[in-house]
Amino acid sequence: MKTIERILHTIKREGAVTAKQLANDLGITTMGARQHLQSLEQDGILDFYDVKVKVGRPTRHWSLTQKGHNQFADRHGELTIQVIEAVEHLFGQEGLAQVTAEREIQTLSYYRSALHACHSLTSKLQTLVKLREQEGYMAELEHTESGFMLFENHCPICKAAKRCPALCLSELNIFQQLLGEDCVIERSEHIISGQHRCAYRITPHPLTTK
């Protein structure tokens, strides 16, 4: 992967970063990182904001613009939006709800099959993250004091979900049905709401073995 691509993927996963943070993450010089960042800003892919510090110059943080987010594939894109609108036109909201429900059933069945050999919450979540990563969600799992955080740094169905919000609700429903016996799941960050990622707080039930 080229340095520019690595920079974009790092910012996509981590959110706003400084040139120094980026240099440390990628093993390049701070000057080199700054040159790449400035070039991407000139292309309209990155933007920056400065944060005042007690001593010295303000710290510059770089983040993706909408054009920058668009560098990452939306696997469904405009075609899916056209299909959604066609279904809604032909069959109304009820028909669209049925299509969303059928997608949810099929996805849940696929995930359950993939997790059938997982006997702990940890192994289930690790397998789920792999599945979501393969589907383009740039998924990560993090242990916390109260349980886990599941982060999805990209949404490959973002355009479709903006047109049909039920798709986002369906995603949360799938997680709850898949893992609900073992834990409580709450969405704490949401790309559709303007945040840079989706985040799910996963709290195991007291008797659940992690």
Side-chain angles (χ1 to χ4, degrees), residues 1-171:
M1 187 180 294
K2 296 180 179 178
T3 301
I4 292 294
E5 294 174 337
R6 293 170 64 201
I7 289 173
L8 293 178
H9 275 78
T10 298
I11 297 175
K12 182 68 171 173
R13 285 186 179 275
E14 299 184 10
V17 299
T18 66
K20 184 176 181 180
Q21 290 172 330
L22 198 61
N24 291 336
D25 286 347
L26 302 184
I28 60 178
T29 65
T30 303
M31 180 62 71
R34 189 173 292 113
Q35 289 174 344
H36 285 301
L37 291 168
Q38 290 171 345
S39 176
L40 288 167
E41 189 262 337
Q42 291 171 1
D43 291 338
I45 292 174
L46 295 182
D47 200 358
F48 64 83
Y49 60 90
D50 293 330
V51 178
K52 292 183 179 180
V53 294
K54 292 182 179 179
V55 180
R57 297 178 179 177
T59 303
R60 179 155 293 184
H61 292 72
W62 299 83
S63 60
L64 294 170
T65 62
Q66 186 57 54
K67 182 179 178 180
H69 284 291
N70 291 342
Q71 303 300 306
F72 296 84
D74 184 330
R75 293 189 296 111
H76 299 261
E78 298 302 326
L79 176 60
T80 302
I81 293 176
Q82 291 172 7
V83 172
I84 288 171
E85 292 177 344
V87 170
E88 188 175 33
H89 177 73
L90 291 171
F91 306 107
Q93 284 291 327
E94 183 178 347
L96 187 57
Q98 290 177 349
V99 170
T100 303
E102 179 61 24
R103 173 186 176 272
E104 182 176 318
I105 290 170
Q106 292 184 5
T107 302
L108 181 60
S109 176
Y110 171 64
Y111 285 176
R112 278 178 170 161
S113 177
L115 270 63
H116 78 280
C118 301
H119 302 296
S120 69
L121 179 58
T122 299
S123 62
K124 289 178 181 178
L125 286 170
Q126 289 172 339
T127 301
L128 178 61
V129 165
K130 290 179 181 178
L131 293 172
R132 300 293 280 183
E133 182 76 9
Q134 291 168 4
E135 293 172 3
Y137 286 87
M138 297 179 71
E140 298 176 305
L141 184 66
E142 180 180 300
H143 286 264
T144 67
E145 291 184 1
S146 60
F148 303 88
M149 289 295 298
L150 169 60
F151 298 113
E152 294 184 340
N153 299 288
H154 179 59
C155 178
I157 63 167
C158 189
K159 289 183 180 179
K162 286 180 178 179
R163 177 60 181 81
C164 180
L167 289 172
C168 274
L169 179 59
S170 178
E171 300 280 279

